[in-house]
Amino acid sequence: MFSSKGLAMWAALWLIVYLSVFVWSAWQPADLVIWFLEVLPAILALLILALTRQRFPLTPLVYLLLLAHCVILMVGGHYTYAEVPLFDYLRDLTGGIRNNYDKLGHFAQGFVPALVARELIIRLQLINGRLWSNFFILCFCLAVSAFYELIEWWVALLSEEAAESFLGTQGYVWDTQSDMGWALFGAFLALLLLGRWHDRQIRQLSSAGRAG
């Protein structure tokens, strides 16, 4: 069962981690424009969560996943996705030809929204039946990924200078398709691995709400 004190401590720790990484990310990024474009979704997420925390609190699992996704975005924004040092090291270690940090980002782009959408669907009773619910979640996550690819295309059209860093294709001609594929795989894996854990937390959150 979730206690109010425990949830308050969890929220404080969440915010401390978020702000610490955000300050680090904003300090002398590789490219200020790219940093803003990459970190903007994390900033919007914080604002939405702050506005909805009292009226519609989410499960700790979803908050944790959202924090992890924000950290991924802020790390990518600081270095640009094609130049994250750890993934340069992994590329050299494995004999690869590109920095694959962007694939981690797109995996998270499916993995995390899948659980957010799942929570909204279950708690608001938007769709009847788990099969239809899972089908919609996968479609939703793929649509989010496709729309993000459109945003990258629009940025490339508006600014040729920022296009290469923001797109992060690194010469890979199938980059757009693989990005969406990783997002779809992330969504599928989230539903497969975390569904039961998520269900338990939703039940606990509902019980705590009725008790309150």
Side-chain angles (χ1 to χ4, degrees):
M1 185 67 69
F2 303 131
S3 67
S4 57
K5 183 178 180 181
L7 289 175
M9 291 179 60
W10 168 252
L13 179 61
W14 193 102
L15 190 60
I16 289 170
V17 173
Y18 180 100
L19 292 177
S20 298
V21 179
F22 180 85
V23 171
W24 166 82
S25 176
W27 178 254
Q28 297 182 341
D31 185 296
L32 188 58
V33 174
I34 297 303
W35 174 84
F36 176 76
L37 291 173
E38 299 289 10
V39 175
L40 181 59
I43 297 173
L44 295 176
L46 179 63
L47 293 175
I48 293 171
L49 293 177
L51 291 173
T52 60
R53 180 172 176 268
Q54 295 297 327
R55 183 165 52 89
F56 194 83
L58 302 173
T59 55
L61 173 61
V62 169
Y63 278 128
L64 178 63
L65 291 175
L66 285 168
L67 177 61
H69 197 181
C70 289
V71 169
I72 290 171
L73 291 170
M74 290 187 281
V75 170
H78 180 80
Y79 292 111
T80 77
Y81 275 75
E83 299 177 9
V84 174
L86 175 60
F87 280 72
D88 276 344
Y89 170 77
L90 292 175
R91 177 199 61 202
D92 297 340
L93 183 67
T94 59
I97 59 174
R98 72 187 306 276
N99 184 309
N100 283 315
Y101 187 79
D102 64 322
K103 302 311 174 191
L104 173 63
H106 285 281
F107 176 85
Q109 192 182 65
F111 195 93
V112 179
L115 268 292
V116 176
R118 188 177 190 274
E119 181 146 335
L120 293 175
I121 288 171
I122 292 174
R123 292 176 60 188
L124 298 177
Q125 299 179 340
L126 300 177
I127 299 175
N128 293 323
R130 283 299 169 88
L131 288 178
W132 279 112
S133 174
N134 289 340
F135 175 73
F136 173 83
I137 290 168
L138 292 175
C139 290
F140 169 76
C141 292
L142 188 57
V144 169
S145 179
F147 183 67
Y148 192 81
E149 297 300 322
L150 290 176
I151 293 175
E152 290 184 343
W153 174 45
W154 296 332
V155 170
L157 292 177
L158 291 172
S159 174
E160 293 183 5
E161 182 178 348
E164 181 60 30
S165 296
F166 189 58
L167 290 172
T169 58
Q170 302 177 67
Y172 181 38
V173 296
W174 300 110
D175 185 70
T176 298
Q177 291 82 357
S178 68
D179 287 348
M180 291 188 290
W182 276 107
L184 182 60
F185 176 63
F188 175 80
L189 206 60
L191 295 175
L192 180 66
L193 298 180
L194 301 181
R196 292 184 179 178
W197 184 11
H198 193 211
D199 285 338
R200 287 196 298 270
Q201 290 205 354
I202 290 175
R203 287 194 296 268
Q204 291 172 353
L205 192 62
S206 300
S207 299
R210 287 194 295 270

